[in-house]
Amino acid sequence: KMSIIKTETTEALIERGFEFFAKHFPNSEKPDKLGIGPGRVNLIGEHTDYNDGFVLPMALPMVTIVLGRANDSDNCCVVTACNDFDETEDSNKTEFKIPSVKPLYVGTPKWANYVKGVIACFQSIIVGFDAVILSSVPLGGGLSSSASLEVATYSFIEAITGNKTIQLVQKAKACQNAEHMFAGVPCGIMDQFISVMGIEGHALLIDCKSLQYEPVPMTESNYVFLITNSNIHHELSSSQYQLRRYQCEEASDLLNVQSLRSATMESLNKLHLNGKINDIIYKRARHVISEIERTKTAADVLKRGDYKSFGELMNASHNSLRDDFEVSCPELDQLVELARKVPGVLGSRMTGGGFGGCTVTLVDRTAVNAVVSTISSEYKGCPKFYTVSPSCGAKIVKL
Ligand code: ADP
Ligand code: MG
């Protein structure tokens, strides 16, 4: 029988980190620096970040840690404990000279590109180090293990260099750049932003244009967010992501605006009626424009503690992603449908880029087990469940 996964505490993760470090670096002293970066779940505002729109994510209690110490050389040696790649045990370890770091995302092992990217995008010269990586964020599940790895690495480097980045937005941008240039993923700013800035007990309403944000307190309530990891990942995910970005650009060109953030539904409808925009581009733009509105409204209703309205907006968001933006898939649709029919569920939607990954469901605490058992008995795949509360952002620790 499926059950809710209890997240390993950060303390336990760090304790495992010390053991793992001692095993891989037996001749080194104990680690004395630590960087922590959380994963995230986006509550609403999907595919809006690269359209200069709004998003409403929260940082998760699941984190990646980078634990280690400087080694008085220009050599970096990093070992990750996460081994759910289709690679050999060997490839959990990477060793490289700092000056040799180049934006070549064909480098192997693949995960090391995220680490190298952050080194290359760091604000100052860095020193060699030995480090281990451990994580409680599921990899490739849409909860942004990649941003949590970047932000944890950046925070670790801040600790070993003693060179802390004052402007936190710069820190998020450097991590985003690392993912662009070294991992070859043209992601928006949301994941790195929330992983850096997350505030315990709050979601953040982020304006992806100005990069201003507003903490939205999640008042103590009878409701919780349940994450369901579909544990599937369709291959077309990255090509479709690229295509959606182009389609949004095409729409803003046709609408003569800098980004869909500045477009209105009236002007879009007019263009469509005049036959100046085809049905596909029309639907893509309709999703983005309506989703930006929904996200702002969702932050407002959340501030008032109106969870019922919030759930309705989540449902509308999913339907728009499914029908207009077409980035859902049968598995995510089924998870959402199953959750929605359980009494006590206020809303359910896919979260993240789509074509797999996770759903997020707003549900009365007393009904969580009913959702889990309904999905477990009717969904064909192997889902994983997590209940999550909004957690804090990156941490830089000198031990
Ligand atoms: P997501 O960010 O949704 O989890 P991505 O495909 O963007 O999915 O990022 C997953 C990739 O990030 C992994 O395949 C791996 O290369 C890298 N990664 C994330 N966390 C770790 C980790 N703890 N150790 C090694 N690599 C990691
Ligand atoms: Mg990612």
Side-chain angles (χ1 to χ4, degrees), residues 40 63-65 79-85 87 92 109-115 133-150 179 185 191 233 357:
R40 63 96 186 94
V63 299
T64 298
I65 66 165
V79 188
T80 178
C82 298
N83 194 18
D84 37 358
F85 321 114
E87 294 170 39
N92 281 19
K110 191 189 133 216
W111 63 268
N113 295 321
Y114 294 89
V115 177
I133 301 170
L134 292 90
S135 189
S136 53
V137 188
L139 268 58
L143 301 180
S144 208
S145 67
S146 60
S148 74
L149 173 57
E150 290 146 16
E179 184 147 347
V185 181
D191 301 355
H233 179 77

Side-chain angles (χ1 to χ4, degrees), residues 195-230:
S195 183
V196 170
M197 318 278 188
I199 303 174
E200 194 176 339
H202 295 72
L204 300 190
L205 177 68
I206 304 169
D207 179 337
C208 298
K209 185 172 191 189
S210 66
L211 295 183
Q212 307 274 40
Y213 67 97
E214 186 190 344
V216 181
M218 312 256 277
T219 46
E220 203 34 65
S221 86
N222 297 326
Y223 297 102
V224 283
F225 287 103
L226 172 74
I227 294 176
T228 306
N229 188 345
S230 68

